[in-house]
Amino acid sequence: MDEGGIQEEPPSSAAAPAEARPLRPTRSGGGGPRWVDGSEVDSSESTHPSLGDERSHPGISTADDADSGGAPLSRRFSSGFRRRLGKRPKRVDSLDVEAMSVRGAHGHGTTDMSWMGTAAMAFQTLGVVYGDMGTSPLYVFSDVFSKVPIKSEVEILGALSLVMYTIALIPFAKYVFIVLKANDNGEGGTFALYSLICRYAKVSLLPNQQRVDEDISSFRLKLPTPELERALCVKECLEKKPLFKSVLLFLVLMGTSMVIGDGILTPSMSVMSAVSGLQGQVAGFDTNAVVIVSILVLLLLFSVQRFGTGKVGVMFAPVLALWFINLGSIGIYNIIKYDISVVRAFNPMYIYYFFEMNGIKAWSALGGCVLCITGAEAMFADLGHFTVKSIQLAFTAVVFPCLLIAYMGQAAYLMKHPHAVERIFYDSVPDALFWPVLVIATLAAMIASQAMISATFSCIKQAMALGCFPRIKIIHTSKKVMGQIYIPVMNWFLMVMCIIIVATFRSTNDIANAYGIAEVGVMMVSTALVTLVMLLIWQTNLFLVLCFPIVFGAIEFIYLTAVMSKLLEGGWLPLAFSSLFLCMMYTWNYGSVLKYQSEMRGKISLDFILDLGSTLGTVRVPGIGLVYNELVQGIPSIFGQMLVTLPAMHSTIVFVCIKYVPVPYVPLEERFLFRRVGQKDYHMFRCVARYGYKDVRKEDHSFFEHLLVENLEKFMRREAQELALEASTMEAERDDVSDVPEVPPFPATAAEDLHVPLLSDQRLSDENRMSGPEGSVPLLPTSSISPEEDPSLEYELSALREAMASGFTYLLAHGDVRATKQSFFTKKFIINYFYAFLRRNCRVGTAALKVPHSNIMRVGMTYMV
């Protein structure tokens, strides 16, 4: 275990024993028939249920039909597809049933909101989602016309037409109407898309996945259609090709690292653009003054982060609403006063004239045009705080028209004053409104920066939850809003980088050369992932699926080539930051996967523990020992090391696995899953504590311990009830065995199999193990004894309470991960140096749990990978 254990199981075949595969039968080879979730069906499986031990659960399924021979293709397809839908899944255990009952895991489950509520939420989105895009009129035209000088009205109308159609196609058409619908139970972002895909196909490479978690949302049963058949083929291809899994994870990590790289440039660009309005308005306010004031504003901005966005969030929406009103009103004023003929830019032919007259310069100007859509990804990334309708309403009714009017007003001003391109925004503001607009612009720039900083914190938190980022300290700044977090290390890192960028570049045009590359990269990643969602989950018509990446992917690729032309002028900066974080995340994930696989290979068999007896070959002392590990199945090798090293062992042992499931949130009442390990007198349990990737882990150790024991008592009572129920049921079946009807080969629904008693498989294994050669009394309660009156239950509960009174001890592994001598030099360098450096400098798990040092025992262990 990695000192507290927050990495979990990878989706490798070795990592998921048969008991953890409730919805997939045993694979029989490449050509066998499959269920609707894409898994193969073994024709040799029995049609009747059978009971096995904890390590093996034979499935409940029916044998395949005979080969169709020369039957027509349509008949063979129809019968084969019916077999896919009709196969009964394997019998599942208690962990599996509870794991599939996570609230909200089956569909989005969003409740309809009134129009008034949607409008109120749409107003709030102005301050959180649209700050970056709303402040883009400060610098777009000044950057575009720094590449293309204005020689005639064609340049102005062509640039305006480019900006208008860029906003209409990317944020409006792509994100508002398509990408927002690809949410994961209301959550957005690249990791949300990845977790959504992982639930529909076994493509995850992260070490925190379990087969039952990937089946939380499986394919819905549909009629045989070409779209569903194609989706199954895509799923098959993704699952069988390790290269595709690696590419998919690489895309997700690249998109996340680019968001972090974008978060370094956005505060610098926004704040400096707002402060530069004083240049030319105040005498003696030169470039040095702009740099100094910008640095002071940045220091103030990052210093207040520790108080949380909730403390200043009340003013965000009103300020941005006032900002958009100013944009729209000033734009209308300029259109009417200077040149109303700028409406001709709605004709896309001016884009053609723009490129025809300026050639390569026009293509270079696209790098400035792309600045008008920076922050578009925030509409999807910040979806978890709002609803799809509220974001769509705010953009359609306020943001989109105000931005178009603002750019048209600036173009109208340039028609009369073509030499005012350097300060186009502030020069186009009427003199009487200059100071109020300057104050509002500065506040809007700070809010836009705040939104990007918060998005960076959120991305890092999700990456940590999914095992792709080293553990660092996270502070939750709000008791009501769980998503408001503060990460001190990243906050000060961003502040230092922003100050260095402002002091080095000293100009918004120079920063703009570095701005936009990361944004376009994130957009292309989203296009690729949403295309996969269309194929795999939505099962959209193939023509529409092809249109999406062809249209939007082509536009984004053109913009990417334009911004890449500025690579030597500063564009390397966000790529350098993104590459740094990408290497860090990929290395952490790679090392964590190898470490988990090493643990899987070295886990202890249950037979070895049973041979030791209930004393475990040592002295059992009162107390509860929490053995943190990464395994949800099997006994970790570190436990054997503890039995050898420690002089005594606690009377109650709980193997705790902290794991993150691919859903945003797990309700508190469904947090823990329990299962007994060995016989009752061993007092050993397996506990899986599940968290969603958006869940908050800020409970202290005492709350965690109380919740764990409370749920363990519930498990014991439920176990006794199940055993008593099955004992009475089996007794009745023995009396009426001749009247038992035959099990139907094709059940009406696969969910019927979930009604079998949860602990039946474990009951027989426990009965076989616990009945000794001398023929002791059966340990199963009879039908005449209720669970409340069961003496064994009351004894076990009293023993648990006595152990709890004696206190908790956290048994942790102090692990060292080293590459084997046979490994290549590259692997040795990554694992022995880079990954080891990250492990030494990341936050230990006990710090996250806030456990007193007196309650911790560490056992050293080396994992050879």
Side-chain angles (χ1 to χ4, degrees), residues 267-478:
S268 309
M269 184 72 180
S270 300
V271 170
M272 200 168 185
S273 298
V275 173
S276 63
L278 294 171
Q279 201 171 9
Q281 189 72 21
V282 178
F285 200 85
D286 56 4
T287 302
N288 291 331
V290 171
V291 171
I292 293 174
V293 173
S294 298
I295 290 176
L296 292 177
V297 173
L298 288 172
L299 285 172
L300 176 65
L301 175 64
F302 284 100
S303 297
V304 300
Q305 291 299 313
R306 61 191 181 92
F307 299 109
T309 56
K311 302 294 188 298
V312 291
V314 186
M315 60 178 291
F316 279 11
V319 169
L320 262 297
L322 188 59
W323 169 253
F324 281 112
I325 291 173
N326 280 335
L327 288 180
S329 57
I330 293 173
I332 293 174
Y333 170 81
N334 288 330
I335 292 171
I336 296 175
K337 180 178 180 180
Y338 295 108
D339 195 344
I340 200 173
S341 68
V342 292
V343 296
R344 291 178 292 169
F346 281 102
N347 182 359
M349 284 301 296
Y350 280 99
I351 299 177
Y352 171 76
Y353 299 147
F354 180 72
F355 279 93
E356 185 183 37
M357 291 187 62
N358 296 280
I360 193 69
K361 291 182 179 179
W363 174 73
S364 179
L366 288 176
C369 181
V370 77
L371 299 179
C372 70
I373 55 173
T374 54
E377 183 68 23
M379 283 193 290
F380 187 48
D382 294 330
L383 182 59
H385 300 285
F386 307 100
T387 63
V388 173
K389 287 184 178 179
S390 64
I391 293 180
Q392 290 174 334
L393 179 62
F395 188 83
T396 306
V398 179
V399 179
F400 188 39
C402 287
L403 287 177
L404 291 187
I405 293 172
Y407 287 118
M408 291 171 66
Q410 292 184 20
Y413 185 86
L414 287 175
M415 287 287 196
K416 302 297 183 182
H417 307 88
H419 300 292
V421 291
E422 190 173 348
R423 296 181 71 253
I424 174 59
F425 176 79
Y426 285 107
D427 287 348
S428 63
V429 175
D431 294 338
L433 298 177
F434 175 80
W435 289 105
V437 169
L438 176 66
V439 173
I440 297 174
T442 305
L443 291 175
M446 293 181 67
I447 293 172
S449 305
Q450 173 65 56
M452 205 64 223
I453 295 169
S454 300
T456 302
F457 291 164
S458 180
C459 286
I460 291 176
K461 197 262 181 187
Q462 291 186 29
M464 287 175 58
L466 293 176
C468 293
F469 200 90
R471 293 182 302 273
I472 54 179
K473 185 177 182 180
I474 296 179
I475 299 175
H476 302 275
T477 58
S478 174

Side-chain angles (χ1 to χ4, degrees), residues 386-657:
F386 307 100
T387 63
V388 173
K389 287 184 178 179
S390 64
I391 293 180
Q392 290 174 334
L393 179 62
F395 188 83
T396 306
V398 179
V399 179
F400 188 39
C402 287
L403 287 177
L404 291 187
I405 293 172
Y407 287 118
M408 291 171 66
Q410 292 184 20
Y413 185 86
L414 287 175
M415 287 287 196
K416 302 297 183 182
H417 307 88
H419 300 292
V421 291
E422 190 173 348
R423 296 181 71 253
I424 174 59
F425 176 79
Y426 285 107
D427 287 348
S428 63
V429 175
D431 294 338
L433 298 177
F434 175 80
W435 289 105
V437 169
L438 176 66
V439 173
I440 297 174
T442 305
L443 291 175
M446 293 181 67
I447 293 172
S449 305
Q450 173 65 56
M452 205 64 223
I453 295 169
S454 300
T456 302
F457 291 164
S458 180
C459 286
I460 291 176
K461 197 262 181 187
Q462 291 186 29
M464 287 175 58
L466 293 176
C468 293
F469 200 90
R471 293 182 302 273
I472 54 179
K473 185 177 182 180
I474 296 179
I475 299 175
H476 302 275
T477 58
S478 174
K479 295 182 179 179
K480 297 180 180 179
V481 184
M482 305 305 286
Q484 292 184 3
I485 59 176
Y486 166 64
I487 304 180
V489 174
M490 284 304 302
N491 182 70
W492 303 124
F493 174 78
L494 291 176
M495 185 191 74
V496 172
M497 291 298 104
C498 287
I499 292 176
I500 292 175
I501 289 171
V502 170
T504 303
F505 286 89
R506 304 175 61 86
S507 169
T508 55
N509 286 336
D510 292 335
I511 298 178
N513 290 330
Y515 202 38
I517 292 182
E519 187 75 23
V520 178
V522 175
M523 290 178 183
M524 295 190 71
V525 170
S526 296
T527 300
L529 294 179
V530 172
T531 302
L532 192 56
V533 168
M534 286 180 166
L535 283 170
L536 187 64
I537 303 170
W538 293 354
Q539 300 161 25
T540 312
N541 182 274
L542 185 59
F543 175 75
L544 298 178
V545 172
L546 293 177
C547 286
F548 182 77
I550 289 175
V551 174
F552 297 110
I555 295 172
E556 290 160 359
F557 180 76
I558 292 172
Y559 276 120
L560 181 64
T561 59
V563 295
M564 288 296 287
S565 67
K566 302 185 294 184
L567 198 61
L568 298 179
E569 302 172 18
W572 57 270
L573 188 63
L575 290 182
F577 285 127
S578 300
S579 300
L580 173 64
F581 283 99
L582 177 62
C583 292
M584 184 185 302
M585 290 190 289
Y586 209 91
T587 300
W588 185 262
N589 175 263
Y590 176 69
S592 300
V593 169
L594 292 180
K595 178 178 176 292
Y596 183 87
Q597 292 172 351
S598 175
E599 282 203 75
M600 283 297 301
R601 291 190 299 268
K603 65 181 181 180
I604 303 172
S605 67
L606 185 61
D607 292 333
F608 174 76
I609 299 296
L610 295 177
D611 291 341
L612 294 177
S614 59
T615 62
L616 299 177
T618 182
V619 180
R620 303 291 291 269
V621 296
I624 298 179
L626 302 181
V627 182
Y628 274 70
N629 67 105
E630 300 177 10
L631 303 179
V632 292
Q633 302 292 342
I635 300 173
S637 56
I638 189 63
F639 186 64
Q641 191 76 6
M642 290 175 179
L643 291 177
V644 174
T645 306
L646 302 179
M649 192 54 64
H650 300 80
S651 59
T652 300
I653 300 294
V654 181
F655 297 101
V656 181
C657 173

Side-chain angles (χ1 to χ4, degrees), residues 242-287:
L243 177 62
F244 291 162
K245 298 179 184 180
S246 301
V247 169
L248 185 60
L249 179 62
F250 179 80
L251 283 176
V252 173
L253 297 183
M254 184 173 66
T256 305
S257 62
M258 285 184 173
V259 170
I260 300 174
D262 203 19
I264 295 173
L265 291 176
T266 297
S268 309
M269 184 72 180
S270 300
V271 170
M272 200 168 185
S273 298
V275 173
S276 63
L278 294 171
Q279 201 171 9
Q281 189 72 21
V282 178
F285 200 85
D286 56 4
T287 302

Side-chain angles (χ1 to χ4, degrees), residues 30-185:
R34 298 176 179 275
W35 292 345
V36 72
D37 71 343
S39 54
E40 297 179 0
V41 176
D42 190 350
S43 60
S44 64
E45 287 182 333
S46 170
T47 60
H48 301 288
S50 59
L51 303 177
D53 61 15
E54 183 182 353
R55 290 155 295 171
S56 178
H57 293 279
I60 305 175
S61 64
T62 56
D64 294 332
D65 296 336
D67 188 83
S68 56
L73 180 61
S74 59
R75 185 184 307 170
R76 278 182 287 167
F77 170 78
S78 177
S79 62
F81 199 90
R82 281 196 298 270
R83 285 198 300 271
R84 296 187 194 186
L85 301 183
K87 289 298 179 183
R88 168 171 282 193
K90 275 194 169 186
R91 173 169 299 217
V92 294
D93 59 34
S94 58
L95 291 185
D96 301 334
V97 174
E98 295 179 57
M100 290 185 292
S101 66
V102 177
R103 184 180 306 165
H106 300 275
H108 303 306
T110 54
T111 56
D112 292 333
M113 186 181 295
S114 65
W115 278 105
M116 290 297 295
T118 302
M121 188 170 286
F123 177 74
Q124 298 174 21
T125 63
L126 296 177
V128 178
V129 178
Y130 297 111
D132 194 5
M133 193 184 304
T135 55
S136 59
L138 288 170
Y139 44 75
V140 169
F141 276 153
S142 61
D143 187 78
V144 168
F145 292 117
S146 68
K147 308 293 189 301
V148 177
I150 299 177
K151 295 176 289 188
S152 65
E153 66 177 15
V154 172
E155 281 78 18
I156 299 174
L157 293 176
L160 176 60
S161 186
L162 264 175
V163 170
M164 292 167 60
Y165 280 100
T166 300
I167 297 176
L169 286 173
I170 303 298
F172 189 59
K174 177 189 171 183
Y175 280 92
V176 170
F177 287 107
I178 300 176
V179 176
L180 285 180
K181 296 181 180 179
N183 59 79
D184 179 19
N185 293 313

Side-chain angles (χ1 to χ4, degrees), residues 756-821:
V756 291
L758 302 180
L759 300 166
S760 58
D761 294 335
Q762 185 181 338
R763 178 197 55 73
L764 190 58
S765 64
D766 286 343
E767 182 183 27
N768 294 335
R769 289 170 184 158
M770 296 166 67
S771 42
E774 300 178 1
S776 56
V777 242
L779 294 175
L780 289 177
T782 64
S783 57
S784 62
I785 301 179
S786 66
E788 290 77 11
E789 299 172 351
D790 184 8
S792 63
L793 173 63
E794 292 303 323
Y795 169 77
E796 195 168 21
L797 289 176
S798 63
L800 177 63
R801 297 188 186 105
E802 180 184 352
M804 182 181 179
S806 300
F808 290 78
T809 302
Y810 290 75
L811 304 173
L812 308 178
H814 186 70
D816 185 23
V817 182
R818 306 288 295 177
T820 59
K821 293 182 178 180

